[in-house]
Amino acid sequence: MQELSGRTRQLVFASMRRFADLVADEPDAIILTIGQPHFPTPAHIAEAAKRAIDEGFTSYTPNRGIRPLREAASAYYERFTGHRYDPDREVLVTVGTTHAIDIAMRALLAPGDEVIIPAPAYPGYEGAVRLAGGHPVFVDTRSTGFLLTPDALRQATPRTKLLILASPANPTGAVYSEDELSALARLCVERDLYVLSDEIYAELQFDGSPASISRMPGMRDRTLVIHGLSKSRSMTGWRIGVAFAPAPIAAEMAKGAQFSVSCPSSISQMAALEALTCGHEDSRPMREAYRMNRHLAVQALRGIGVPVVEPAGAFYVFPELPKALSLTSDAFCEALARESHVALVSGTCFTRYGEGYVRISLACPPEALQEALGRIARFVERRRQG
């Protein structure tokens, strides 16, 4: 038999669900793992999908997505940033943001091109880079509040083509300010770097207005913005993302979409159209619930001596394990699951720079979070006592 592709063999499955599996049969299990909002999809969005089915809107659509949705996405993003993208040439509807990231990498990267990824980082970035033949270069942000600094970006080499930037970020909840993005943008222009700006959690930023590096001088033509509805509208299973990109790059991404998925679901596109035209306030109650859960988690963790950088957005906290426990991230999560029936995600799922940390999802009712935090506190105390 001939060898399989080296590009897939160098990948490993992210083990985010492994710890949830350990407690799956426990009746009192509390699972705070995957990035799944605990809210239902808003009813008016679901009704729009039902209408699409009833009206027979179940055929193929254009590869780039239906034009009304591209128009609505452009108008939506313009409200956030003041930036307008041409619905016909610069907007692409994708099968979730994971698909958008994948076809962006395929459009941009040649074999051996380097991609800077601030770490700890969402594991999907590395996979997409490697599948496109690129080389991920992880930059440690643990000492800078999980934010990439201009000094760190100066690690770019002549082979570096792209920077991946997420704000708010998964798993850390870190958010970049306008000034921080401006400083990074100057270096990107100087070094001739593209940027993939992952803004899927933008509506879940807790304070202030979301900033985008695409707005900085010289950056519009070198930035690909990835957005979507999975997190802000609780539409993870609907699989709709949106990419905003300069027309030449969007055209290449559209080719990737044509030959990988043909088009997004017609029904999901009608649901997304409803979300972007009539659901402007849908994310507000979700954001406020996550904000309250953030306060609850940060206070509880600090109260038991667990260091944590307060997240500025998204719905995760990423605490550092106390050194006195002498446990790796994997060992901590496994023992917590088996002994206390609480499932978290090991920091090692987010590159090697996540070792010594765990990710706790805040997407749960506050009562469940309080109970989980209490179990974590008792588990930590038992371990400290030996």
Side-chain angles (χ1 to χ4, degrees), residues 11 28 34 58 105 115 148 161 198 201 203 216 242 252 263 267 272 284 297-298 313 329 333 349 367 375 385:
L11 302 179
D28 64 340
I34 63 171
T58 56
M105 296 300 105
V115 179
L148 182 71
K161 180 179 280 186
D198 185 346
Y201 292 99
E203 286 192 69
M216 305 302 154
V242 182
E252 297 306 305
C263 64
I267 298 161
R284 185 188 299 272
V298 169
S329 295
C333 288
C349 292
E367 299 80 15
R375 295 186 197 179
Q385 293 176 354

Short mmCIF file of all heavy atoms in Angstrom, two decimals, residues 11 28 34 58 105 115 148 161 198 201 203 216 242 252 263 267 272 284 297-298 313 329 333 349 367 375 385:
data_model
loop_
_atom_site.label_atom_id
_atom_site.label_comp_id
_atom_site.label_asym_id
_atom_site.label_seq_id
_atom_site.Cartn_x
_atom_site.Cartn_y
_atom_site.Cartn_z
N LEU A 11 -0.85 15.56 12.17
CA LEU A 11 -1.87 16.14 13.04
C LEU A 11 -2.32 15.12 14.08
O LEU A 11 -2.26 13.92 13.86
CB LEU A 11 -3.10 16.58 12.22
CG LEU A 11 -2.86 17.59 11.11
CD1 LEU A 11 -4.18 17.90 10.40
CD2 LEU A 11 -2.25 18.88 11.66
N ASP A 28 -24.22 13.06 38.32
CA ASP A 28 -24.00 14.39 38.88
C ASP A 28 -22.87 15.14 38.15
O ASP A 28 -22.34 16.12 38.65
CB ASP A 28 -23.66 14.30 40.37
CG ASP A 28 -22.36 13.56 40.63
OD1 ASP A 28 -21.91 12.79 39.73
OD2 ASP A 28 -21.77 13.73 41.72
N ILE A 34 -16.33 21.98 26.05
CA ILE A 34 -16.33 22.56 24.71
C ILE A 34 -17.03 23.92 24.69
O ILE A 34 -17.84 24.23 25.56
CB ILE A 34 -16.96 21.61 23.68
CG1 ILE A 34 -18.43 21.32 23.99
CG2 ILE A 34 -16.17 20.32 23.58
CD1 ILE A 34 -19.15 20.56 22.90
N THR A 58 -34.41 24.69 -0.41
CA THR A 58 -33.57 23.57 -0.03
C THR A 58 -32.63 23.14 -1.14
O THR A 58 -32.17 21.99 -1.17
CB THR A 58 -34.45 22.37 0.38
OG1 THR A 58 -35.36 22.06 -0.69
CG2 THR A 58 -35.25 22.68 1.64
N MET A 105 -6.22 29.66 4.76
CA MET A 105 -4.85 29.13 4.76
C MET A 105 -4.48 28.59 3.38
O MET A 105 -3.37 28.81 2.88
CB MET A 105 -4.71 28.02 5.80
CG MET A 105 -4.90 28.44 7.25
SD MET A 105 -3.75 29.70 7.82
CE MET A 105 -4.84 31.13 7.82
N VAL A 115 3.76 30.90 9.82
CA VAL A 115 2.58 31.58 10.36
C VAL A 115 2.79 31.77 11.85
O VAL A 115 2.97 30.79 12.59
CB VAL A 115 1.30 30.77 10.10
CG1 VAL A 115 0.09 31.50 10.68
CG2 VAL A 115 1.12 30.51 8.61
N LEU A 148 -0.04 39.24 22.35
CA LEU A 148 1.17 39.35 21.54
C LEU A 148 1.68 40.79 21.60
O LEU A 148 0.92 41.73 21.43
CB LEU A 148 0.86 38.98 20.09
CG LEU A 148 2.04 39.00 19.12
CD1 LEU A 148 2.98 37.85 19.39
CD2 LEU A 148 1.53 38.96 17.68
N LYS A 161 4.74 34.79 6.56
CA LYS A 161 3.76 35.41 5.66
C LYS A 161 2.54 35.91 6.40
O LYS A 161 1.91 36.88 5.98
CB LYS A 161 3.32 34.41 4.58
CG LYS A 161 2.30 34.99 3.60
CD LYS A 161 1.90 34.00 2.52
CE LYS A 161 2.94 33.95 1.43
NZ LYS A 161 2.47 33.09 0.29
N ASP A 198 -9.37 36.70 13.79
CA ASP A 198 -10.49 35.86 14.21
C ASP A 198 -11.33 36.63 15.22
O ASP A 198 -10.92 36.84 16.36
CB ASP A 198 -9.96 34.56 14.82
CG ASP A 198 -11.07 33.57 15.16
OD1 ASP A 198 -12.25 33.97 15.17
OD2 ASP A 198 -10.75 32.40 15.45
N TYR A 201 -15.70 35.90 18.63
CA TYR A 201 -16.22 36.24 19.95
C TYR A 201 -16.41 37.75 20.15
O TYR A 201 -16.61 38.20 21.28
CB TYR A 201 -15.26 35.72 21.03
CG TYR A 201 -15.21 34.22 21.15
CD1 TYR A 201 -14.17 33.49 20.55
CD2 TYR A 201 -16.16 33.51 21.88
CE1 TYR A 201 -14.11 32.11 20.66
CE2 TYR A 201 -16.10 32.13 22.00
CZ TYR A 201 -15.07 31.43 21.38
OH TYR A 201 -15.01 30.06 21.50
N GLU A 203 -18.73 39.95 19.74
CA GLU A 203 -19.92 40.44 20.43
C GLU A 203 -19.97 40.00 21.89
O GLU A 203 -20.85 40.43 22.64
CB GLU A 203 -21.18 39.95 19.71
CG GLU A 203 -21.45 40.68 18.41
CD GLU A 203 -22.84 40.38 17.88
OE1 GLU A 203 -23.82 40.83 18.50
OE2 GLU A 203 -22.93 39.68 16.85
N MET A 216 -6.77 49.53 11.01
CA MET A 216 -5.54 50.28 11.19
C MET A 216 -4.94 50.68 9.84
O MET A 216 -5.14 49.99 8.84
CB MET A 216 -4.53 49.47 12.01
CG MET A 216 -5.07 48.99 13.35
SD MET A 216 -5.60 50.37 14.38
CE MET A 216 -6.84 49.60 15.42
N VAL A 242 -18.58 33.71 8.32
CA VAL A 242 -18.44 34.75 7.30
C VAL A 242 -16.99 35.19 7.26
O VAL A 242 -16.36 35.38 8.31
CB VAL A 242 -19.34 35.98 7.59
CG1 VAL A 242 -19.21 37.01 6.48
CG2 VAL A 242 -20.80 35.57 7.75
N GLU A 252 -9.86 33.66 -4.32
CA GLU A 252 -9.16 32.39 -4.14
C GLU A 252 -9.84 31.53 -3.08
O GLU A 252 -9.93 30.30 -3.21
CB GLU A 252 -7.70 32.64 -3.78
CG GLU A 252 -6.91 33.36 -4.86
CD GLU A 252 -7.00 32.65 -6.20
OE1 GLU A 252 -6.67 31.44 -6.26
OE2 GLU A 252 -7.41 33.29 -7.18
N CYS A 263 -21.31 24.68 -1.19
CA CYS A 263 -21.97 25.87 -0.64
C CYS A 263 -22.44 25.56 0.77
O CYS A 263 -22.60 24.39 1.14
CB CYS A 263 -23.15 26.29 -1.51
SG CYS A 263 -24.50 25.08 -1.58
N ILE A 267 -30.71 26.29 4.23
CA ILE A 267 -31.60 26.54 5.38
C ILE A 267 -30.88 27.35 6.45
O ILE A 267 -31.42 28.31 7.01
CB ILE A 267 -32.11 25.20 5.93
CG1 ILE A 267 -32.92 24.48 4.86
CG2 ILE A 267 -32.94 25.40 7.19
CD1 ILE A 267 -33.10 23.00 5.11
N ALA A 272 -29.32 32.51 9.34
CA ALA A 272 -28.29 33.53 9.57
C ALA A 272 -28.75 34.89 9.08
O ALA A 272 -28.45 35.93 9.70
CB ALA A 272 -27.00 33.13 8.87
N ARG A 284 -26.94 40.12 23.75
CA ARG A 284 -26.83 40.88 25.00
C ARG A 284 -27.05 40.01 26.24
O ARG A 284 -26.21 40.02 27.16
CB ARG A 284 -27.79 42.07 25.00
CG ARG A 284 -27.63 42.97 26.21
CD ARG A 284 -28.74 44.03 26.26
NE ARG A 284 -28.69 44.88 25.09
CZ ARG A 284 -27.95 45.99 25.02
NH1 ARG A 284 -27.20 46.35 26.05
NH2 ARG A 284 -27.97 46.72 23.93
N ALA A 297 -16.36 33.05 38.76
CA ALA A 297 -15.24 32.11 38.63
C ALA A 297 -13.93 32.74 39.09
O ALA A 297 -13.15 32.11 39.82
CB ALA A 297 -15.12 31.64 37.18
N VAL A 298 -13.67 33.97 38.67
CA VAL A 298 -12.40 34.61 39.03
C VAL A 298 -12.30 34.79 40.54
O VAL A 298 -11.25 34.51 41.14
CB VAL A 298 -12.26 35.95 38.28
CG1 VAL A 298 -11.09 36.76 38.84
CG2 VAL A 298 -12.06 35.71 36.79
N GLY A 313 -13.22 38.88 27.51
CA GLY A 313 -14.26 38.51 26.56
C GLY A 313 -14.32 37.01 26.40
O GLY A 313 -13.64 36.25 27.09
N SER A 329 -1.30 19.44 33.61
CA SER A 329 -2.66 19.82 33.24
C SER A 329 -3.51 18.59 32.97
O SER A 329 -4.67 18.49 33.41
CB SER A 329 -2.63 20.72 32.00
OG SER A 329 -1.99 21.94 32.29
N CYS A 333 -6.84 17.40 35.21
CA CYS A 333 -8.17 17.24 34.63
C CYS A 333 -8.69 15.81 34.77
O CYS A 333 -9.88 15.60 35.03
CB CYS A 333 -8.15 17.66 33.17
SG CYS A 333 -7.99 19.45 32.92
N CYS A 349 -4.25 21.14 25.34
CA CYS A 349 -5.02 21.15 24.09
C CYS A 349 -4.74 22.42 23.28
O CYS A 349 -5.08 22.48 22.09
CB CYS A 349 -6.52 21.08 24.39
SG CYS A 349 -7.05 19.50 25.07
N GLU A 367 -25.73 28.29 38.76
CA GLU A 367 -25.81 27.29 39.83
C GLU A 367 -24.86 26.13 39.56
O GLU A 367 -24.20 25.63 40.47
CB GLU A 367 -27.25 26.77 39.95
CG GLU A 367 -28.30 27.82 40.28
CD GLU A 367 -28.72 28.63 39.06
OE1 GLU A 367 -28.43 28.19 37.93
OE2 GLU A 367 -29.35 29.69 39.25
N ARG A 375 -16.59 22.11 44.02
CA ARG A 375 -15.91 20.81 43.91
C ARG A 375 -14.43 20.99 43.59
O ARG A 375 -13.58 20.27 44.12
CB ARG A 375 -16.58 19.96 42.82
CG ARG A 375 -18.00 19.56 43.13
CD ARG A 375 -18.50 18.60 42.05
NE ARG A 375 -19.95 18.49 42.05
CZ ARG A 375 -20.65 17.74 41.20
NH1 ARG A 375 -20.00 17.03 40.29
NH2 ARG A 375 -21.96 17.69 41.25
N GLN A 385 -3.25 19.03 50.89
CA GLN A 385 -3.02 18.36 52.16
C GLN A 385 -2.32 17.01 52.00
O GLN A 385 -1.92 16.39 52.97
CB GLN A 385 -4.35 18.18 52.91
CG GLN A 385 -4.96 19.50 53.36
CD GLN A 385 -6.32 19.31 54.00
OE1 GLN A 385 -6.87 18.20 54.01
NE2 GLN A 385 -6.90 20.40 54.52
#
